Amino acid sequence: MNDFLKLAAPGISDLHPYVPGKPLEELERELGLSETIKLASNENPLGPSPMGLEAARNAVVGIERYPDDSGYRLKGKLAENLGVEPEQLILGAGSSDVIDMVARTFLAPGRNAVFSRYAFAMYPIYTTAAGAEARVAPALPSDHPGMPYGHDLEAMAALIDEQTRVVFIANPNNPTGTWLERAALRDFLEGLPNHLVVVLDEAYTEYVTAPDFPDGIAWLDDFPNLIVTRTFSKIYGLAGLRVGYGVAGPALIGIIGRVRHPFNVNVPALAAAEAALDDGSFLERSRRLNDAGLRQLAAAFDAMGLEHIPSVGNFITVALPREGAGVYDDLLRKGIIVRPVANYGLPEHIRVTVGTEAENARFLQALEEVLAS
Ligand SMILES: *Cc1c(COP(=O)(O)O)cnc(C)c1O
């Protein structure tokens, strides 16, 4: 078997596959538990957008046909909502598909991609898979007064050289929840050379209510090398359907489109995403629940004396008095799935997705019990 590693393309032998959150079904099967809750994959605790769900159901009857490869209707509605042209959009099977397309378009052996420590785990995977070098910039220090563990834009800029082709920025970042403000990010973009592409990953942007939080799409006319990625997996509650998109200038979109797999977004996903865009009240409810849940979790962590990283996402990463992996296991036994983040270099933290008020309360109760024992 090991010989296949020698046959594999450059980069594949260095690849560490993505570790997803544990599925509920698996936990229930393994421990014979029921009534389990999953706060591990930043999914929407309110379920899917009802309008999206209905559209997906109705679309399933047409699955003997290939999907519309042009994504005409979804792109049309997105373009209208975002104030861009349909030619500025590329659809993906989740936004990670779009991020992968950027990596496959611009990265290769001898080239490099720059991103921050603690940044989203798919960046090193796509970079390494393309045979390129992953250049990881140190993050802001853990005792930074404003944004501990956040992206350090100066440190990232210092790693860029002639061979850099992609810079990945997650705003806000997962798993830290940290974010970049408008002025700082804009200054960074203005200082970049034009031989590289910037991926601004805005998977959680619809949740963010912080002032001075930038909207990357508003900057596309100023930065032809910028691509903004967004997803229907998070606030829209459609993670299981796999649909997301990238927005950039038409020239950049055209090039990236060369590596897109045909029919990459399936029939129910196209229909659900299109319908979910009209589900304003679901988005509003999701946002409000998340705001309240972030406050509920942060207040409880404060009361327990646990430091947590400032977050504007739908998750919060908390420091523990002992190894996160052990706390994760103990919580599993109580039927609660959170996310250990040792693979991100945060062995004494866990990341918890904001759930409903009752789910958060149950998690907090279980965490207190686990830490007391
Ligand atoms: C969840 C997430 C994504 C996208 O996930 P998809 O389901 O592929 O759309 C992208 N970036 C970050 C930082 C995420 O957390």
Side-chain angles (χ1 to χ4, degrees), residues 106-108 110-115 127 132-135 156-168 188 192-198 225:
F106 295 104
L107 296 177
R111 300 177 175 194
N112 68 74
V114 170
F115 51 88
T127 300
E133 176 197 352
R135 292 203 172 169
M156 291 174 66
L159 292 185
I160 292 169
D161 67 12
E162 284 299 308
Q163 305 315 320
T164 305
R165 286 294 176 276
V166 181
V167 174
F168 294 108
F188 174 77
L192 291 177
N194 61 12
H195 65 261
L196 55 80
V197 167
V198 179
N225 299 356

Side-chain angles (χ1 to χ4, degrees), residues 192-260:
L192 291 177
N194 61 12
H195 65 261
L196 55 80
V197 167
V198 179
V199 175
L200 181 57
D201 178 347
E202 295 188 340
Y204 300 93
T205 197
E206 300 88 352
Y207 278 113
V208 182
T209 51
D212 296 322
F213 188 80
D215 168 9
I217 292 175
W219 291 343
L220 291 174
D221 288 343
D222 303 326
F223 301 105
N225 299 356
L226 175 64
I227 178 164
V228 175
T229 59
R230 294 189 180 173
T231 182
F232 289 91
S233 297
K234 307 288 160 61
I235 204 168
Y236 292 96
L238 301 176
L241 283 177
R242 314 301 304 125
V243 50
Y245 58 96
V247 203
L252 181 51
I253 290 295
I255 291 291
I256 295 165
R258 294 183 183 200
V259 303
R260 183 178 64 83

Side-chain angles (χ1 to χ4, degrees), residues 290-309:
N290 191 62
D291 277 348
L294 279 176
R295 283 197 300 272
Q296 179 188 4
L297 291 167
F301 292 150
D302 288 341
M304 294 163 78
L306 301 176
E307 273 188 40
H308 46 93
I309 305 177

Side-chain angles (χ1 to χ4, degrees), residues 65-75 89-92 97 101 257 259-267 270:
R65 304 261 179 228
Y66 284 103
D68 170 16
D69 188 55
S70 74
Y72 179 81
R73 289 168 55 104
L74 176 55
K75 280 188 190 169
L89 290 160
I90 186 160
L91 303 180
D97 185 24
M101 287 184 234
V259 303
R260 183 178 64 83
H261 298 271
F263 311 114
N264 59 333
V265 183
N266 67 68
V267 168
L270 285 171

